[in-house]
Amino acid sequence: GIFLAVRLLDAFDDVITGFIVDNTRTRWGQFKPWLVVGSVLSGILTVLLFTDLGLTGTSFLVVFALLNVTWGVAWALHDISYWSQLPALSVDPGLREKLGSTAKVFASLGVFTVVVGIQPLVSALSGALGGDVAAWRAAAIIFAVAMVAGVMVNVAGVREDRTAHLEGAPTSPRELWRAIAGNDQLLWTA
């Protein structure tokens, strides 16, 4: 039930996050603040999700639900910022396609590494750390640090073209909800 509720909230969270990113203007750019905040928060929350807080019963369920909802918001902040920055990297569609393809390849390699490597890593750590609970937490720390480090490479090394996409007035909340309400495919999917 918690996972279903989190997924349903995620449908709205992604739209709101996209709205926030779309209307961000800082001296660091439109995307970098959310890349940093979202990745650091989702890294911390990932570790917390794999940490035994000593809770049971209702208190466990409440904290677990709050951590999952908060993790979803944090993940959306950096994930939506990451993929939304492509149009700001170049006005050349061919270059944007190459950048997008390269980013997708590395993102897929990252997911593949975690999926294939998690069980052998946890098994190895379990023996070294004295149990599965400590091993899962250590694995979460390793992957969270790797994720934040990867995002920081992007933050430090990618330069967005701030003139390419900032034309026009920012989207208002009313316009956002009107667009959602008028998109029957989106509503059916949600």
Side-chain angles (χ1 to χ4, degrees):
I2 290 171
F3 285 126
L4 176 61
V6 168
R7 291 287 57 103
L8 292 173
L9 287 171
D10 196 41
F12 296 101
D13 171 48
D14 285 353
V15 173
I16 294 166
T17 301
F19 171 78
I20 291 168
V21 171
D22 189 44
N23 289 289
T24 296
R25 304 293 182 267
T26 71
R27 66 182 183 138
W28 302 284
Q30 183 175 3
F31 309 102
K32 289 182 181 184
W34 301 117
L35 285 166
V36 171
V37 169
S39 66
V40 170
L41 283 176
S42 62
I44 292 168
L45 291 163
T46 297
V47 172
L48 285 174
L49 282 167
F50 286 91
T51 299
D52 183 0
L53 301 174
L55 303 172
T56 59
T58 303
S59 61
F60 171 80
L61 291 175
V62 168
V63 170
F64 182 74
L66 289 173
L67 285 173
N68 270 281
V69 167
T70 310
W71 183 90
V73 171
W75 184 266
L77 280 173
H78 91 268
D79 191 53
I80 289 174
S81 298
Y82 181 81
W83 294 108
S84 296
Q85 73 181 340
L86 279 174
L89 300 180
S90 173
V91 292
D92 177 13
L95 179 57
R96 281 201 313 247
E97 282 181 32
K98 287 179 185 176
L99 292 170
S101 297
T102 302
K104 192 63 176 170
V105 165
F106 281 102
S108 297
L109 284 172
V111 169
F112 179 78
T113 301
V114 172
V115 169
V116 170
I118 190 69
Q119 198 58 56
L121 176 64
V122 169
S123 294
L125 291 172
S126 183
L129 298 175
D132 286 345
V133 173
W136 280 101
R137 183 168 187 259
I141 292 169
I142 290 167
F143 288 122
V145 167
M147 183 263 309
V148 172
V151 170
M152 293 311 150
V153 167
N154 177 305
V155 169
V158 173
R159 304 285 174 246
E160 68 182 76
D161 179 357
R162 296 182 191 193
T163 63
H165 64 290
L166 298 180
E167 298 171 4
T171 305
S172 72
R174 174 178 248 152
E175 290 171 309
L176 171 70
W177 293 116
R178 201 173 309 149
I180 292 170
N183 187 331
D184 59 343
Q185 291 91 1
L186 175 65
L187 293 175
W188 274 104
T189 302

